[in-house]
Amino acid sequence: MIYKLTYESNAKTPFDTNGVNEILASARNHNKSMNITGCLVYHNGSFVQILEGEREQVRSLFKVIKKDPRHSKVRLVSEELDDERSFSDWNMAYFDPGVHSLSKSDLQNFEKNILMLADFSDKLSTTVNMFWLNVRKIILNLKIA
Ligand SMILES: Cc1cc2nc3c(=O)[nH]c(=O)nc-3n(C[C@H](O)[C@H](O)[C@H](O)COP(=O)(O)O)c2cc1C
């Protein structure tokens, strides 16, 4: 069984590409060695991340991430045991709308692409659905309770 966990958090200060790259560098090395896959989204001062892998390893990584001073208000959104991974090819996928200085139409394109990706995701997993719901929320700036 694959354990999946989705959380949401607020960045302490607005992140630039370097800041996010630092997180990704440690995430990619570390996650690969622990066979943890997932996806991290940063947008407008909020993070949403889904982690999937062996239960105890995901939980211990989440403990480390929770204490990271670069973000606060870490909220566990959803966790579950599932039959298979949803992000098997990505040790840590990442979407960064701030990589290039974005025009309004670039941003709209990014939003459209990520929402399309959300539609392709496995509808059967609550945790994956909650991940994409929260991605939509931060991207569309919606207040979903
Ligand atoms: C939003 C956010 C997401 C993170 N995701 C991961 C992750 O998936 N894997 C990981 O190893 N570290 C992640 N980190 C970093 C950890 O909190 C911690 O800094 C890191 O594991 C320490 O590894 P290092 O000693 O190689 O820098 C994340 C940090 C933040 C703020």
Side-chain angles (χ1 to χ4, degrees):
M1 293 296 269
I2 292 288
Y3 175 73
K4 300 181 178 183
L5 179 158
T6 291
Y7 73 85
E8 187 186 9
S9 67
N10 296 357
K12 278 277 176 63
T13 49
F15 268 71
D16 59 9
T17 309
N18 285 343
V20 176
N21 279 340
E22 273 171 29
I23 294 179
L24 286 176
S26 50
R28 291 196 168 125
N29 284 328
H30 193 221
N31 296 10
K32 198 170 190 174
S33 70
M34 297 198 309
N35 210 9
I36 291 176
T37 50
C39 184
L40 174 68
V41 176
Y42 172 74
H43 194 60
N44 279 342
S46 297
F47 288 107
V48 182
Q49 189 174 30
I50 183 166
L51 299 166
E52 46 182 31
E54 198 272 316
R55 186 189 186 122
E56 288 320 307
Q57 292 199 315
V58 172
R59 278 177 179 253
S60 68
L61 174 60
F62 185 50
K63 264 190 199 156
V64 172
I65 293 175
K66 266 203 283 200
K67 289 187 200 138
D68 195 306
R70 289 171 286 188
H71 62 172
S72 62
K73 294 190 190 145
V74 179
R75 283 94 71 195
L76 177 66
V77 170
S78 177
E79 57 181 332
E80 71 179 322
L81 282 168
D82 202 358
D83 291 337
E84 51 185 52
R85 290 173 194 266
S86 303
F87 296 88
S88 44
D89 293 334
W90 295 340
N91 56 61
M92 189 48 58
Y94 172 61
F95 299 102
D96 184 356
V99 165
H100 316 286
S101 58
L102 287 180
S103 66
K104 198 166 176 228
S105 68
D106 284 340
L107 187 63
Q108 282 167 348
N109 246 334
F110 165 78
E111 291 176 356
K112 202 179 82 196
N113 286 340
I114 205 167
L115 295 180
M116 239 170 64
L117 200 54
D119 281 338
F120 286 129
S121 93
D122 171 21
K123 300 292 183 209
L124 297 177
S125 164
T126 312
T127 304
V128 174
N129 280 330
M130 290 306 286
F131 170 73
W132 288 116
L133 184 73
N134 277 271
V135 169
R136 276 195 175 84
K137 189 178 80 175
I138 65 171
I139 285 174
L140 302 176
N141 267 323
L142 297 177
K143 298 272 178 273
I144 303 170

